[in-house]
Structure formats: C-alpha cells, structure tokens
mmCIF file of all heavy atoms in Angstrom:
data_model
loop_
_atom_site.group_PDB
_atom_site.id
_atom_site.type_symbol
_atom_site.label_atom_id
_atom_site.label_comp_id
_atom_site.label_asym_id
_atom_site.label_seq_id
_atom_site.Cartn_x
_atom_site.Cartn_y
_atom_site.Cartn_z
ATOM 1 N N MET U 10 -39.612 29.333 283.444
ATOM 2 C CA MET U 10 -39.149 29.632 284.777
ATOM 3 C C MET U 10 -39.145 28.394 285.671
ATOM 4 O O MET U 10 -38.243 28.119 286.487
ATOM 5 C CB MET U 10 -40.054 30.706 285.411
ATOM 6 C CG MET U 10 -39.665 31.168 286.817
ATOM 7 S SD MET U 10 -38.045 31.939 286.839
ATOM 8 C CE MET U 10 -38.489 33.534 286.025
ATOM 9 N N GLU U 11 -40.187 27.533 285.547
ATOM 10 C CA GLU U 11 -40.245 26.291 286.248
ATOM 11 C C GLU U 11 -39.088 25.379 285.944
ATOM 12 O O GLU U 11 -38.525 24.750 286.825
ATOM 13 C CB GLU U 11 -41.573 25.612 286.016
ATOM 14 C CG GLU U 11 -41.793 24.363 286.889
ATOM 15 C CD GLU U 11 -43.163 23.739 286.610
ATOM 16 O OE1 GLU U 11 -43.925 24.287 285.752
ATOM 17 O OE2 GLU U 11 -43.455 22.697 287.237
ATOM 18 N N LYS U 12 -38.776 25.236 284.669
ATOM 19 C CA LYS U 12 -37.660 24.412 284.214
ATOM 20 C C LYS U 12 -36.351 24.979 284.815
ATOM 21 O O LYS U 12 -35.472 24.212 285.262
ATOM 22 C CB LYS U 12 -37.588 24.430 282.738
ATOM 23 C CG LYS U 12 -38.682 23.635 282.061
ATOM 24 C CD LYS U 12 -38.535 23.669 280.542
ATOM 25 C CE LYS U 12 -39.712 22.933 279.821
ATOM 26 N NZ LYS U 12 -39.583 22.933 278.394
ATOM 27 N N LEU U 13 -36.178 26.344 284.783
ATOM 28 C CA LEU U 13 -34.973 26.890 285.345
ATOM 29 C C LEU U 13 -34.851 26.658 286.813
ATOM 30 O O LEU U 13 -33.768 26.337 287.309
ATOM 31 C CB LEU U 13 -34.986 28.419 285.065
ATOM 32 C CG LEU U 13 -33.773 29.228 285.538
ATOM 33 C CD1 LEU U 13 -32.498 28.688 284.906
ATOM 34 C CD2 LEU U 13 -33.968 30.732 285.318
ATOM 35 N N LEU U 14 -35.950 26.754 287.553
ATOM 36 C CA LEU U 14 -35.926 26.482 288.967
ATOM 37 C C LEU U 14 -35.531 25.048 289.317
ATOM 38 O O LEU U 14 -34.840 24.752 290.240
ATOM 39 C CB LEU U 14 -37.297 26.834 289.588
ATOM 40 C CG LEU U 14 -37.626 28.346 289.657
ATOM 41 C CD1 LEU U 14 -39.046 28.554 290.163
ATOM 42 C CD2 LEU U 14 -36.632 29.101 290.576
ATOM 43 N N LYS U 15 -36.065 24.102 288.502
ATOM 44 C CA LYS U 15 -35.749 22.725 288.651
ATOM 45 C C LYS U 15 -34.277 22.452 288.443
ATOM 46 O O LYS U 15 -33.637 21.688 289.133
ATOM 47 C CB LYS U 15 -36.593 21.823 287.720
ATOM 48 C CG LYS U 15 -38.010 21.720 288.138
ATOM 49 C CD LYS U 15 -38.814 20.771 287.201
ATOM 50 C CE LYS U 15 -40.254 20.631 287.622
ATOM 51 N NZ LYS U 15 -41.011 19.684 286.715
ATOM 52 N N LYS U 16 -33.720 23.131 287.382
ATOM 53 C CA LYS U 16 -32.256 22.960 287.111
ATOM 54 C C LYS U 16 -31.433 23.581 288.286
ATOM 55 O O LYS U 16 -30.424 22.943 288.660
ATOM 56 C CB LYS U 16 -31.941 23.656 285.801
ATOM 57 C CG LYS U 16 -30.534 23.423 285.288
ATOM 58 C CD LYS U 16 -30.335 24.037 283.914
ATOM 59 C CE LYS U 16 -31.175 23.282 282.871
ATOM 60 N NZ LYS U 16 -30.845 23.752 281.505
ATOM 61 N N ILE U 17 -31.859 24.651 288.789
ATOM 62 C CA ILE U 17 -31.117 25.260 289.912
ATOM 63 C C ILE U 17 -31.182 24.285 291.093
ATOM 64 O O ILE U 17 -30.218 24.092 291.826
ATOM 65 C CB ILE U 17 -31.695 26.630 290.278
ATOM 66 C CG1 ILE U 17 -31.400 27.612 289.154
ATOM 67 C CG2 ILE U 17 -31.143 27.147 291.531
ATOM 68 C CD1 ILE U 17 -32.066 28.976 289.301
ATOM 69 N N GLU U 18 -32.332 23.723 291.367
ATOM 70 C CA GLU U 18 -32.486 22.798 292.477
ATOM 71 C C GLU U 18 -31.607 21.616 292.286
ATOM 72 O O GLU U 18 -31.002 21.112 293.291
ATOM 73 C CB GLU U 18 -33.983 22.383 292.563
ATOM 74 C CG GLU U 18 -34.229 21.468 293.800
ATOM 75 C CD GLU U 18 -35.682 21.081 293.833
ATOM 76 O OE1 GLU U 18 -36.428 21.321 292.895
ATOM 77 O OE2 GLU U 18 -36.055 20.413 294.844
ATOM 78 N N GLU U 19 -31.516 21.059 291.095
ATOM 79 C CA GLU U 19 -30.617 19.942 290.896
ATOM 80 C C GLU U 19 -29.158 20.256 291.154
ATOM 81 O O GLU U 19 -28.384 19.513 291.691
ATOM 82 C CB GLU U 19 -30.758 19.459 289.461
ATOM 83 C CG GLU U 19 -32.135 18.750 289.166
ATOM 84 C CD GLU U 19 -32.259 18.303 287.747
ATOM 85 O OE1 GLU U 19 -31.376 18.709 286.904
ATOM 86 O OE2 GLU U 19 -33.164 17.552 287.407
ATOM 87 N N ASN U 20 -28.771 21.533 290.734
ATOM 88 C CA ASN U 20 -27.368 21.941 290.989
ATOM 89 C C ASN U 20 -27.099 22.133 292.477
ATOM 90 O O ASN U 20 -25.961 22.039 292.859
ATOM 91 C CB ASN U 20 -27.102 23.239 290.246
ATOM 92 C CG ASN U 20 -27.063 23.047 288.750
ATOM 93 O OD1 ASN U 20 -26.735 21.985 288.262
ATOM 94 N ND2 ASN U 20 -27.390 24.092 287.977
ATOM 95 N N LEU U 21 -28.112 22.463 293.191
ATOM 96 C CA LEU U 21 -27.959 22.643 294.652
ATOM 97 C C LEU U 21 -27.952 21.280 295.385
ATOM 98 O O LEU U 21 -27.651 21.174 296.503
ATOM 99 C CB LEU U 21 -29.057 23.513 295.259
ATOM 100 C CG LEU U 21 -29.000 24.985 294.804
ATOM 101 C CD1 LEU U 21 -30.265 25.711 295.345
ATOM 102 C CD2 LEU U 21 -27.721 25.613 295.346
ATOM 103 N N ARG U 22 -28.331 20.196 294.684
ATOM 104 C CA ARG U 22 -28.331 18.864 295.287
ATOM 105 C C ARG U 22 -27.506 17.952 294.395
ATOM 106 O O ARG U 22 -27.943 17.120 293.668
ATOM 107 C CB ARG U 22 -29.744 18.316 295.316
ATOM 108 C CG ARG U 22 -30.661 19.112 296.317
ATOM 109 C CD ARG U 22 -32.024 18.513 296.372
ATOM 110 N NE ARG U 22 -32.695 18.443 295.083
ATOM 111 C CZ ARG U 22 -33.803 17.779 294.834
ATOM 112 N NH1 ARG U 22 -34.389 17.113 295.829
ATOM 113 N NH2 ARG U 22 -34.399 17.805 293.649
ATOM 114 N N PRO U 23 -26.115 18.123 294.465
ATOM 115 C CA PRO U 23 -25.237 17.330 293.616
ATOM 116 C C PRO U 23 -25.322 15.836 293.851
ATOM 117 O O PRO U 23 -24.950 15.023 293.039
ATOM 118 C CB PRO U 23 -23.858 17.876 293.972
ATOM 119 C CG PRO U 23 -23.955 18.445 295.326
ATOM 120 C CD PRO U 23 -25.374 18.945 295.416
ATOM 121 N N ASP U 24 -25.832 15.455 295.049
ATOM 122 C CA ASP U 24 -25.885 13.988 295.313
ATOM 123 C C ASP U 24 -27.016 13.337 294.510
ATOM 124 O O ASP U 24 -27.121 12.103 294.399
ATOM 125 C CB ASP U 24 -26.105 13.777 296.818
ATOM 126 C CG ASP U 24 -27.337 14.559 297.325
ATOM 127 O OD1 ASP U 24 -27.315 15.772 297.135
ATOM 128 O OD2 ASP U 24 -28.256 13.959 297.847
ATOM 129 N N GLU U 25 -27.934 14.133 293.894
ATOM 130 C CA GLU U 25 -29.033 13.580 293.163
ATOM 131 C C GLU U 25 -28.892 13.791 291.645
ATOM 132 O O GLU U 25 -29.814 13.501 290.903
ATOM 133 C CB GLU U 25 -30.345 14.187 293.660
ATOM 134 C CG GLU U 25 -30.629 13.834 295.140
ATOM 135 C CD GLU U 25 -31.950 14.428 295.582
ATOM 136 O OE1 GLU U 25 -32.659 15.010 294.746
ATOM 137 O OE2 GLU U 25 -32.287 14.330 296.755
ATOM 138 N N VAL U 26 -27.750 14.413 291.234
ATOM 139 C CA VAL U 26 -27.593 14.638 289.771
ATOM 140 C C VAL U 26 -27.268 13.378 289.118
ATOM 141 O O VAL U 26 -26.510 12.512 289.587
ATOM 142 C CB VAL U 26 -26.374 15.602 289.543
ATOM 143 C CG1 VAL U 26 -26.097 15.797 288.107
ATOM 144 C CG2 VAL U 26 -26.795 16.961 290.212
ATOM 145 N N ALA U 27 -27.953 13.141 287.975
ATOM 146 C CA ALA U 27 -27.749 11.923 287.228
ATOM 147 C C ALA U 27 -26.392 11.924 286.563
ATOM 148 O O ALA U 27 -25.887 12.949 286.146
ATOM 149 C CB ALA U 27 -28.842 11.770 286.143
ATOM 150 N N HIS U 28 -25.741 10.767 286.513
ATOM 151 C CA HIS U 28 -24.415 10.594 285.861
ATOM 152 C C HIS U 28 -24.510 9.634 284.755
ATOM 153 O O HIS U 28 -25.334 8.698 284.777
ATOM 154 C CB HIS U 28 -23.384 10.129 286.892
ATOM 155 C CG HIS U 28 -23.145 11.093 287.992
ATOM 156 N ND1 HIS U 28 -22.150 12.045 287.926
ATOM 157 C CD2 HIS U 28 -23.726 11.273 289.195
ATOM 158 C CE1 HIS U 28 -22.120 12.810 289.008
ATOM 159 N NE2 HIS U 28 -23.109 12.336 289.754
ATOM 160 N N LYS U 29 -23.652 9.877 283.803
ATOM 161 C CA LYS U 29 -23.670 8.974 282.601
ATOM 162 C C LYS U 29 -23.125 7.621 282.979
ATOM 163 O O LYS U 29 -22.024 7.481 283.520
ATOM 164 C CB LYS U 29 -22.824 9.600 281.486
ATOM 165 C CG LYS U 29 -22.790 8.799 280.217
ATOM 166 C CD LYS U 29 -21.979 9.508 279.164
ATOM 167 C CE LYS U 29 -21.795 8.608 277.926
ATOM 168 N NZ LYS U 29 -23.063 8.174 277.351
ATOM 169 N N LYS U 30 -23.853 6.559 282.709
ATOM 170 C CA LYS U 30 -23.416 5.198 282.936
ATOM 171 C C LYS U 30 -22.560 4.685 281.816
ATOM 172 O O LYS U 30 -22.596 5.265 280.701
ATOM 173 C CB LYS U 30 -24.598 4.298 283.171
ATOM 174 C CG LYS U 30 -25.454 4.640 284.403
ATOM 175 C CD LYS U 30 -26.569 3.655 284.610
ATOM 176 C CE LYS U 30 -27.359 4.012 285.837
ATOM 177 N NZ LYS U 30 -28.500 3.042 286.077
ATOM 178 N N ARG U 31 -21.821 3.609 282.014
ATOM 179 C CA ARG U 31 -21.015 3.076 280.987
ATOM 180 C C ARG U 31 -21.872 2.363 279.969
ATOM 181 O O ARG U 31 -22.714 1.545 280.322
ATOM 182 C CB ARG U 31 -19.963 2.130 281.567
ATOM 183 C CG ARG U 31 -18.944 2.886 282.413
ATOM 184 C CD ARG U 31 -17.741 1.959 282.711
ATOM 185 N NE ARG U 31 -17.025 1.656 281.440
ATOM 186 C CZ ARG U 31 -16.124 2.447 280.886
ATOM 187 N NH1 ARG U 31 -15.792 3.611 281.459
ATOM 188 N NH2 ARG U 31 -15.469 2.106 279.788
ATOM 189 N N ASP U 32 -21.519 2.583 278.709
ATOM 190 C CA ASP U 32 -22.266 1.944 277.645
ATOM 191 C C ASP U 32 -21.875 0.469 277.492
ATOM 192 O O ASP U 32 -22.687 -0.405 277.135
ATOM 193 C CB ASP U 32 -21.994 2.651 276.259
ATOM 194 C CG ASP U 32 -22.550 4.077 276.309
ATOM 195 O OD1 ASP U 32 -23.561 4.309 277.010
ATOM 196 O OD2 ASP U 32 -21.928 4.929 275.659
ATOM 197 N N ASP U 33 -20.555 0.135 277.801
ATOM 198 C CA ASP U 33 -20.112 -1.257 277.590
ATOM 199 C C ASP U 33 -20.420 -2.100 278.793
ATOM 200 O O ASP U 33 -20.280 -3.334 278.741
ATOM 201 C CB ASP U 33 -18.614 -1.236 277.311
ATOM 202 C CG ASP U 33 -17.803 -0.516 278.377
ATOM 203 O OD1 ASP U 33 -18.372 -0.236 279.442
ATOM 204 O OD2 ASP U 33 -16.611 -0.178 278.102
ATOM 205 N N GLY U 34 -20.849 -1.511 279.903
ATOM 206 C CA GLY U 34 -21.154 -2.341 281.109
ATOM 207 C C GLY U 34 -19.952 -2.957 281.781
ATOM 208 O O GLY U 34 -20.103 -3.785 282.675
ATOM 209 N N MET U 35 -18.772 -2.580 281.399
ATOM 210 C CA MET U 35 -17.506 -3.136 281.963
ATOM 211 C C MET U 35 -17.214 -2.538 283.312
ATOM 212 O O MET U 35 -17.486 -1.318 283.564
ATOM 213 C CB MET U 35 -16.349 -2.967 281.028
ATOM 214 C CG MET U 35 -16.506 -3.669 279.657
ATOM 215 S SD MET U 35 -16.562 -5.463 279.780
ATOM 216 C CE MET U 35 -14.814 -5.746 280.275
ATOM 217 N N LYS U 36 -16.588 -3.332 284.206
ATOM 218 C CA LYS U 36 -16.128 -2.843 285.527
ATOM 219 C C LYS U 36 -14.833 -2.060 285.313
ATOM 220 O O LYS U 36 -13.916 -2.542 284.652
ATOM 221 C CB LYS U 36 -15.951 -3.928 286.523
ATOM 222 C CG LYS U 36 -15.585 -3.455 287.885
ATOM 223 C CD LYS U 36 -15.512 -4.642 288.830
ATOM 224 C CE LYS U 36 -15.190 -4.177 290.247
ATOM 225 N NZ LYS U 36 -15.221 -5.242 291.249
ATOM 226 N N VAL U 37 -14.750 -0.848 285.851
ATOM 227 C CA VAL U 37 -13.585 0.028 285.635
ATOM 228 C C VAL U 37 -12.533 -0.281 286.693
ATOM 229 O O VAL U 37 -12.813 -0.371 287.858
ATOM 230 C CB VAL U 37 -13.999 1.537 285.706
ATOM 231 C CG1 VAL U 37 -12.799 2.411 285.561
ATOM 232 C CG2 VAL U 37 -15.016 1.774 284.589
ATOM 233 N N ASP U 38 -11.262 -0.384 286.211
ATOM 234 C CA ASP U 38 -10.169 -0.531 287.080
ATOM 235 C C ASP U 38 -9.429 0.799 287.192
ATOM 236 O O ASP U 38 -8.648 1.175 286.291
ATOM 237 C CB ASP U 38 -9.233 -1.631 286.518
ATOM 238 C CG ASP U 38 -8.030 -1.923 287.444
ATOM 239 O OD1 ASP U 38 -8.146 -1.759 288.649
ATOM 240 O OD2 ASP U 38 -6.946 -2.317 286.933
ATOM 241 N N ALA U 39 -9.701 1.544 288.227
ATOM 242 C CA ALA U 39 -9.150 2.908 288.364
ATOM 243 C C ALA U 39 -7.831 2.890 289.109
ATOM 244 O O ALA U 39 -7.845 2.372 290.289
ATOM 245 C CB ALA U 39 -10.191 3.788 289.082
ATOM 246 N N ARG U 40 -6.868 3.374 288.507
ATOM 247 C CA ARG U 40 -5.427 3.360 289.090
ATOM 248 C C ARG U 40 -5.156 4.823 289.648
ATOM 249 O O ARG U 40 -5.257 5.769 288.900
ATOM 250 C CB ARG U 40 -4.398 2.961 288.074
ATOM 251 C CG ARG U 40 -4.872 1.707 287.354
ATOM 252 C CD ARG U 40 -3.778 1.215 286.389
ATOM 253 N NE ARG U 40 -3.371 2.178 285.445
ATOM 254 C CZ ARG U 40 -4.032 2.477 284.328
ATOM 255 N NH1 ARG U 40 -5.169 1.842 284.036
ATOM 256 N NH2 ARG U 40 -3.584 3.352 283.482
ATOM 257 N N ILE U 41 -4.790 4.866 290.896
ATOM 258 C CA ILE U 41 -4.618 6.217 291.579
ATOM 259 C C ILE U 41 -3.206 6.445 291.986
ATOM 260 O O ILE U 41 -2.518 5.569 292.486
ATOM 261 C CB ILE U 41 -5.546 6.199 292.828
ATOM 262 C CG1 ILE U 41 -7.046 6.060 292.426
ATOM 263 C CG2 ILE U 41 -5.343 7.461 293.668
ATOM 264 C CD1 ILE U 41 -8.008 6.015 293.608
ATOM 265 N N ARG U 42 -2.805 7.683 291.741
ATOM 266 C CA ARG U 42 -1.474 8.142 292.176
ATOM 267 C C ARG U 42 -1.660 9.534 292.858
ATOM 268 O O ARG U 42 -2.498 10.284 292.382
ATOM 269 C CB ARG U 42 -0.542 8.240 291.009
ATOM 270 C CG ARG U 42 0.862 8.607 291.400
ATOM 271 C CD ARG U 42 1.296 9.991 291.076
ATOM 272 N NE ARG U 42 2.626 10.309 291.459
ATOM 273 C CZ ARG U 42 3.274 11.462 291.289
ATOM 274 N NH1 ARG U 42 2.605 12.475 290.646
ATOM 275 N NH2 ARG U 42 4.503 11.673 291.706
ATOM 276 N N VAL U 43 -0.985 9.800 293.952
ATOM 277 C CA VAL U 43 -1.104 11.027 294.663
ATOM 278 C C VAL U 43 0.221 11.698 294.951
ATOM 279 O O VAL U 43 1.266 11.006 295.170
ATOM 280 C CB VAL U 43 -1.839 10.768 296.023
ATOM 281 C CG1 VAL U 43 -1.054 9.865 296.967
ATOM 282 C CG2 VAL U 43 -2.201 12.067 296.689
ATOM 283 N N ASN U 44 0.209 12.964 294.891
ATOM 284 C CA ASN U 44 1.364 13.832 295.261
ATOM 285 C C ASN U 44 0.905 14.833 296.358
ATOM 286 O O ASN U 44 0.054 15.650 296.018
ATOM 287 C CB ASN U 44 1.969 14.514 294.028
ATOM 288 C CG ASN U 44 3.092 15.448 294.450
ATOM 289 O OD1 ASN U 44 3.784 15.191 295.366
ATOM 290 N ND2 ASN U 44 3.207 16.551 293.671
ATOM 291 N N ILE U 45 1.416 14.704 297.530
ATOM 292 C CA ILE U 45 1.098 15.594 298.613
ATOM 293 C C ILE U 45 1.957 16.900 298.476
ATOM 294 O O ILE U 45 3.203 16.778 298.590
ATOM 295 C CB ILE U 45 1.265 14.994 300.006
ATOM 296 C CG1 ILE U 45 0.461 13.684 300.076
ATOM 297 C CG2 ILE U 45 0.863 15.942 301.069
ATOM 298 C CD1 ILE U 45 -0.998 13.865 299.903
ATOM 299 N N ILE U 46 1.363 18.049 298.256
ATOM 300 C CA ILE U 46 2.117 19.242 298.044
ATOM 301 C C ILE U 46 2.413 19.983 299.307
ATOM 302 O O ILE U 46 3.542 20.329 299.571
ATOM 303 C CB ILE U 46 1.289 20.129 297.025
ATOM 304 C CG1 ILE U 46 1.027 19.417 295.700
ATOM 305 C CG2 ILE U 46 2.057 21.468 296.766
ATOM 306 C CD1 ILE U 46 0.076 20.133 294.799
ATOM 307 N N THR U 47 1.416 20.245 300.090
ATOM 308 C CA THR U 47 1.614 20.895 301.434
ATOM 309 C C THR U 47 0.739 20.229 302.499
ATOM 310 O O THR U 47 -0.357 19.806 302.177
ATOM 311 C CB THR U 47 1.335 22.381 301.360
ATOM 312 O OG1 THR U 47 -0.052 22.590 300.972
ATOM 313 C CG2 THR U 47 2.218 23.081 300.355
ATOM 314 N N VAL U 48 1.254 20.261 303.713
ATOM 315 C CA VAL U 48 0.478 19.778 304.877
ATOM 316 C C VAL U 48 0.721 20.810 305.983
ATOM 317 O O VAL U 48 1.819 21.289 306.137
ATOM 318 C CB VAL U 48 0.900 18.400 305.350
ATOM 319 C CG1 VAL U 48 0.025 17.941 306.543
ATOM 320 C CG2 VAL U 48 0.784 17.398 304.219
ATOM 321 N N GLY U 49 -0.339 21.132 306.736
ATOM 322 C CA GLY U 49 -0.161 22.071 307.813
ATOM 323 C C GLY U 49 -1.383 22.255 308.687
ATOM 324 O O GLY U 49 -2.430 21.621 308.422
ATOM 325 N N ASP U 50 -1.300 23.156 309.646
ATOM 326 C CA ASP U 50 -2.466 23.457 310.509
ATOM 327 C C ASP U 50 -3.064 22.200 311.151
ATOM 328 O O ASP U 50 -4.310 22.063 311.047
ATOM 329 C CB ASP U 50 -3.487 24.276 309.780
ATOM 330 C CG ASP U 50 -2.952 25.655 309.384
ATOM 331 O OD1 ASP U 50 -2.004 26.092 309.909
ATOM 332 O OD2 ASP U 50 -3.566 26.226 308.475
ATOM 333 N N ILE U 51 -2.231 21.397 311.734
ATOM 334 C CA ILE U 51 -2.732 20.196 312.387
ATOM 335 C C ILE U 51 -3.317 20.609 313.747
ATOM 336 O O ILE U 51 -2.600 20.970 314.656
ATOM 337 C CB ILE U 51 -1.634 19.153 312.594
ATOM 338 C CG1 ILE U 51 -0.984 18.785 311.214
ATOM 339 C CG2 ILE U 51 -2.158 17.910 313.265
ATOM 340 C CD1 ILE U 51 0.270 17.959 311.331
ATOM 341 N N ASP U 52 -4.681 20.425 313.865
ATOM 342 C CA ASP U 52 -5.367 20.857 315.104
ATOM 343 C C ASP U 52 -5.753 19.628 315.832
ATOM 344 O O ASP U 52 -6.702 18.882 315.416
ATOM 345 C CB ASP U 52 -6.577 21.685 314.643
ATOM 346 C CG ASP U 52 -7.220 22.359 315.890
ATOM 347 O OD1 ASP U 52 -6.977 21.888 316.974
ATOM 348 O OD2 ASP U 52 -7.948 23.339 315.685
ATOM 349 N N THR U 53 -5.054 19.340 316.950
ATOM 350 C CA THR U 53 -5.344 18.130 317.700
ATOM 351 C C THR U 53 -6.694 18.200 318.356
ATOM 352 O O THR U 53 -7.341 17.194 318.569
ATOM 353 C CB THR U 53 -4.242 17.908 318.717
ATOM 354 O OG1 THR U 53 -2.961 17.969 318.109
ATOM 355 C CG2 THR U 53 -4.402 16.604 319.433
ATOM 356 N N VAL U 54 -7.107 19.363 318.798
ATOM 357 C CA VAL U 54 -8.361 19.575 319.567
ATOM 358 C C VAL U 54 -9.557 19.294 318.644
ATOM 359 O O VAL U 54 -10.429 18.500 319.033
ATOM 360 C CB VAL U 54 -8.430 20.994 320.142
ATOM 361 C CG1 VAL U 54 -9.793 21.142 320.828
ATOM 362 C CG2 VAL U 54 -7.302 21.260 321.101
ATOM 363 N N SER U 55 -9.589 19.887 317.497
ATOM 364 C CA SER U 55 -10.710 19.644 316.539
ATOM 365 C C SER U 55 -10.489 18.448 315.668
ATOM 366 O O SER U 55 -11.332 18.108 314.858
ATOM 367 C CB SER U 55 -10.952 20.883 315.692
ATOM 368 O OG SER U 55 -9.764 21.167 314.876
#
C-alpha cells in the first residue's frame, strides 16, 4: 500500500517524475512543424 501511495503521489506531481536520459549523451536537434486547425474565443478582457 505504501508503494502504491508513492506511485500515486508521483503521478500527481508530473514535474518530479524521472525521465529517461539519452544513452549517447548527444545534444538533440528537434525540428518543429505546426498546423493550426482552429482559433476562436479571443477574450480581450482576460
């Protein structure tokens, strides 16, 4: 139960979840492309 509670706590704190690091230690060159499908509800006040 203690292990399960710890796992639930980790899931509730995604900023502290461990991520797999790169084995090769190389810097990644990430290429990004975006397609805007819909835009709306532009609220100037908020």
Side-chain angles (χ1 to χ4, degrees):
M10 182 65 71
E11 184 179 0
K12 291 179 181 179
L13 180 60
L14 290 174
K15 287 183 178 180
K16 187 174 294 186
I17 292 174
E18 184 182 7
E19 288 177 350
N20 290 331
L21 293 175
R22 296 182 299 171
D24 53 305
E25 297 180 6
V26 175
H28 294 269
K29 180 178 174 58
K30 297 183 179 180
R31 293 195 64 83
D32 296 329
D33 54 16
M35 297 293 292
K36 185 174 182 178
V37 176
D38 184 28
R40 311 184 305 278
I41 298 178
R42 187 254 180 178
V43 64
N44 175 32
I45 304 298
I46 302 171
T47 60
V48 182
D50 294 343
I51 302 171
D52 191 338
T53 309
V54 177
S55 60

